[in-house]
Amino acid sequence: MLYTTALMIHAGATLAALLSFVAGELLLAIARKGRSRPARMALRAGRLAHLLLNLGVLAGIALVFLGGWPLWTPWLLAAFAVIAAAMVVRSEFVAPWESRVESALGGKASDEQVGAFASEGSAFVGRVSVIALFGVVAALMTMKPSFALLAGG
């Protein structure tokens, strides 16, 4: 019962996080026209996504121990590596951008500034990369028995 509950929290929180990330990108597409309200909403969606993702990862860690998976299981090591890559991308490209946008919006940024922030290429690549990397983690979680067979385990 505890394993099933942790699994539902893990899957639900992670899926909700991915949906929140995508919603944020849609809001930023609207904000490119210089609209600050969708930009603020996108930042909130991003914060929510990160909280949900942290909950999903914590539930995933609980699942590893509840399920008795060895930490050196190939699919788990691959998932850890991809999660680490996503964390690096976020800290290098997304977090600094979010700070600049929050600061500008707090100072009542002009429509042109909002549009410029929403259109910033490196931040967009970073955000989409984080979404894609967590998609890879989701695929690893879904395919773990097949991955173990491919890895010889």
Side-chain angles (χ1 to χ4, degrees), residues 28 97 100-101 104-105 109 112-121 123 127:
L28 285 170
W97 171 83
R100 290 193 316 271
V101 174
L105 290 173
E112 294 81 24
Q113 288 174 313
V114 171
F117 278 125
S119 299
E120 193 171 312
R127 293 187 315 268

Side-chain angles (χ1 to χ4, degrees), residues 17-141:
L18 286 171
L19 292 173
S20 294
F21 279 132
V22 171
E25 288 307 311
L26 294 173
L27 288 164
L28 285 170
I30 296 167
R32 285 188 187 112
K33 296 179 176 114
R35 299 180 58 200
S36 60
R37 188 160 192 252
R40 283 187 180 87
M41 291 170 64
L43 290 176
R44 283 189 207 114
R47 281 193 289 273
L48 176 62
H50 290 288
L51 287 173
L52 289 166
L53 200 51
N54 288 338
L55 176 61
V57 168
L58 286 173
I61 292 168
L63 285 170
V64 167
F65 291 104
L66 291 171
W69 295 97
L71 291 177
W72 55 88
T73 303
W75 65 266
L76 190 55
L77 291 174
F80 288 154
V82 176
I83 290 169
M87 291 170 66
V88 168
V89 169
R90 180 181 173 357
S91 70
E92 293 296 317
F93 297 99
V94 180
W97 171 83
E98 285 174 335
S99 295
R100 290 193 316 271
V101 174
E102 286 175 358
S103 177
L105 290 173
K108 304 297 180 197
S110 70
D111 291 349
E112 294 81 24
Q113 288 174 313
V114 171
F117 278 125
S119 299
E120 193 171 312
S122 62
F124 175 74
V125 170
R127 293 187 315 268
V128 170
S129 295
V130 168
I131 294 169
L133 288 168
F134 277 102
V136 169
V137 172
L140 283 169
M141 296 295 129

